[in-house]
Amino acid sequence: ARKSKFRKMRLIISILALLIAGNLIAQKPTDASALFDEGRFAEAADINRQLLKKKPKDAVLNVRLARCLEAMGNHDEAIEHYRMAAENGYSKAYLYLGDLYFDRYFFAEAADAYTRWIDEGKPTPQETLHATERQRQATLGAQMLHRIEDIALIDSTIAVKTNFFAKIAIPREMGTFFASNTDYVGFESGRQD
């Protein structure tokens, strides 16, 4: 009876070992790619995470995980993995990074990523055109964002007509309103232009 119990236990342990081994074997990059293609991004991300534990600097695995994360809306973590891939020789990650930065209005970072893709990668003519145009737009966007000032919302207030502009609270460095004695109002910017 004891030998029979021992054999059953050995059989159960053997079956569990095979199931665990089968599960580990099933976690291959091709499985993650198939899941990604089916739109099962969370499952593909899990497999890529497991694979990255063994090879944390593997550029291709980092890009694959980043693409899953981006598809799931986890952009901050996707950026980390695109950066890791780019730092480890996967230059096309700069293109993906540029697009992700651009879509999130990080224009200076996007311009830099597109420039690095064009300089370090081997873009096709179509990819070069895309990256060059987006790099131009990102540079322009960065310049525009640099010039944006904080906007203050002014609540309604009651003021005498002659004292109205004194009630508008704006920082002095942004400029000042002034009234002339001929019913005209002027504004002088902080740059005095």
Side-chain angles (χ1 to χ4, degrees):
R2 209 167 199 197
K3 279 188 174 183
S4 174
K5 201 175 194 181
F6 180 71
R7 284 183 188 157
K8 284 181 184 178
M9 187 63 112
R10 241 173 75 185
L11 180 63
I12 291 171
I13 291 173
S14 297
I15 291 171
L16 285 174
L18 285 172
L19 289 174
I20 291 170
N23 190 28
L24 292 176
I25 291 168
Q27 294 184 348
K28 297 181 286 193
T30 54
D31 296 334
S33 293
L35 290 169
F36 182 87
D37 292 341
E38 293 172 13
R40 296 164 58 185
F41 306 120
E43 293 171 67
D46 288 342
I47 291 174
N48 284 315
R49 276 193 177 95
Q50 290 298 320
L51 294 168
L52 274 171
K53 285 181 182 178
K54 297 173 188 168
K55 299 178 182 180
K57 292 188 177 188
D58 186 293
V60 174
L61 291 175
N62 273 289
V63 166
R64 288 181 177 169
L65 177 56
R67 292 191 62 206
C68 293
L69 294 167
E70 185 177 358
M72 294 185 320
N74 190 344
H75 298 135
D76 292 334
E77 192 178 351
I79 286 171
E80 290 174 32
H81 288 283
Y82 280 137
R83 281 186 192 152
M84 178 65 79
E87 290 169 8
N88 288 291
Y90 195 102
S91 59
K92 192 166 185 173
Y94 287 118
L95 176 63
Y96 302 138
L97 199 53
D99 287 343
L100 190 54
Y101 279 139
F102 190 93
D103 293 342
R104 297 185 73 209
Y105 301 101
F106 296 134
F107 295 125
E109 293 87 348
D112 180 55
Y114 289 128
T115 300
R116 293 192 70 173
W117 164 236
I118 293 167
D119 293 345
E120 298 175 23
K122 295 179 182 173
T124 65
Q126 184 178 0
E127 289 170 336
T128 301
L129 183 63
H130 167 77
T132 303
E133 178 59 21
R134 291 292 287 255
Q135 193 270 346
R136 185 190 66 75
Q137 292 172 349
T139 301
L140 183 61
Q143 291 169 350
M144 287 180 183
L145 285 179
H146 180 69
R147 297 192 49 100
I148 290 179
E149 302 290 337
D150 289 334
I151 298 172
L153 297 176
I154 302 170
D155 199 357
S156 61
T157 185
I158 298 174
V160 180
K161 179 180 174 184
T162 56
N163 196 19
F164 174 74
F165 289 102
K167 300 288 183 182
I168 299 176
I170 61 172
R172 183 122 177 98
E173 62 272 4
M174 286 183 64
T176 56
F177 286 101
F178 59 90
S180 71
N181 53 3
T182 58
D183 291 332
Y184 288 103
V185 175
F187 177 79
E188 182 175 13
S189 75
R191 292 183 297 248
Q192 300 177 342
D193 54 358

